[in-house]
Amino acid sequence: MDRDKSSDPHSVGEVVESLAELAEEDSKVTIGDVLDRFGDHSFAPVMLVFALVELTPAGGIPGVPTFLASCIALVAVQLLFGRDHLWVPGWIARRGAPSVKLRKAAHTLENVARQVDRVAQSRLESFASGIGLRIAAALIIALCLTIPPFEVVPFASTGPMLAIDIICLAIMVRDGLAMLVVWTLATVALAALGYFILFSDAMSGASLPF
């Protein structure tokens, strides 16, 4: 479905408001409904929705963070390779949640939306467009890959998902400064995680002195 990009959401608050409106329209809201609402050009808002859901109590349900990360990664890969239209398999589009749960999630996210939207503004736009979008997409995919291991600890995946939220918002409002900050923090975190894993493997494989 084609959609005027000028009508795309430009804040987390607008995304949360759209989710609340969807929850009022039917007893169940599917991922396909979300795609229809935002349009098949809206890569960042759709990824933002998935990442926001993980910040609600639903994020503590085993398997949910990994499923959400998989959906985000699917969208990010398409953004990375420059697709014009967003596509998801039918079996994912048909997945959904009861509207009552979505309403509760939207209510829970209202404060988060207000806090994040306060600091977002258009600046250093070149870092949030063009090649910057490809870099952002690659970083989002890397963050998604950290989610399954984090599921061992409830809500441990909130950190990577919050970083994804900020990246998506930076794309939506063309906030290059926010993009640079989150790139730096996420890169350091990923490097530290990789070092920890490699160091742990090296230690576990080391021969004992006796």
Side-chain angles (χ1 to χ4, degrees):
M1 167 178 121
D2 289 328
R3 177 188 174 104
D4 181 2
K5 291 184 181 181
S6 64
S7 64
D8 288 346
H10 291 88
S11 70
V12 179
E14 289 182 27
V15 171
V16 172
E17 183 180 350
S18 292
L19 290 179
E21 291 173 356
L22 277 174
E24 297 297 332
E25 294 176 2
D26 207 341
S27 59
K28 180 182 178 181
V29 177
T30 67
I31 291 175
D33 294 330
V34 174
L35 296 178
D36 287 341
R37 170 57 63 100
F38 294 117
D40 58 6
H41 293 290
S42 303
F43 292 83
V46 170
M47 289 190 290
L48 180 65
V49 168
F50 292 132
L52 284 173
V53 170
E54 201 280 336
L55 302 183
T56 70
I61 302 174
V64 169
T66 295
F67 173 73
L68 294 171
S70 299
C71 293
I72 293 170
L74 175 63
V75 177
V77 166
Q78 295 177 64
L79 179 62
L80 177 64
F81 288 100
R83 278 184 61 92
D84 291 327
H85 299 276
L86 176 59
W87 171 86
V88 297
W91 68 271
I92 290 181
R94 290 189 292 271
R95 297 288 294 270
S99 292
V100 62
K101 290 188 177 181
L102 191 60
R103 279 194 294 270
K104 289 180 180 178
H107 178 71
T108 301
L109 293 168
E110 286 176 354
N111 285 332
V112 176
R114 279 194 293 269
Q115 295 297 326
V116 174
D117 286 339
R118 268 184 205 158
V119 298
Q121 56 183 291
S122 296
R123 51 196 168 184
L124 301 177
E125 296 185 17
S126 60
F127 291 101
S129 59
I131 189 64
L133 291 180
R134 307 291 179 91
I135 296 173
L139 187 54
I140 287 173
I141 294 168
L143 288 167
C144 286
L145 293 175
T146 70
I147 301 298
F150 280 145
E151 278 217 52
V152 206
V153 181
F155 298 105
S157 56
T158 296
M161 284 296 193
L162 186 57
I164 291 171
D165 281 325
I166 297 173
I167 292 173
C168 292
L169 178 61
I171 293 172
M172 288 161 54
V173 302
R174 294 293 189 265
D175 190 340
L177 180 59
M179 188 77 83
L180 286 173
V181 170
V182 77
W183 282 355
T184 302
L185 294 177
T187 301
V188 170
L190 289 169
L193 178 62
Y195 176 80
F196 175 78
I197 293 173
L198 291 174
F199 183 75
S200 298
D201 288 344
M203 289 296 292
S204 62
S207 58
L208 296 175
F210 54 84

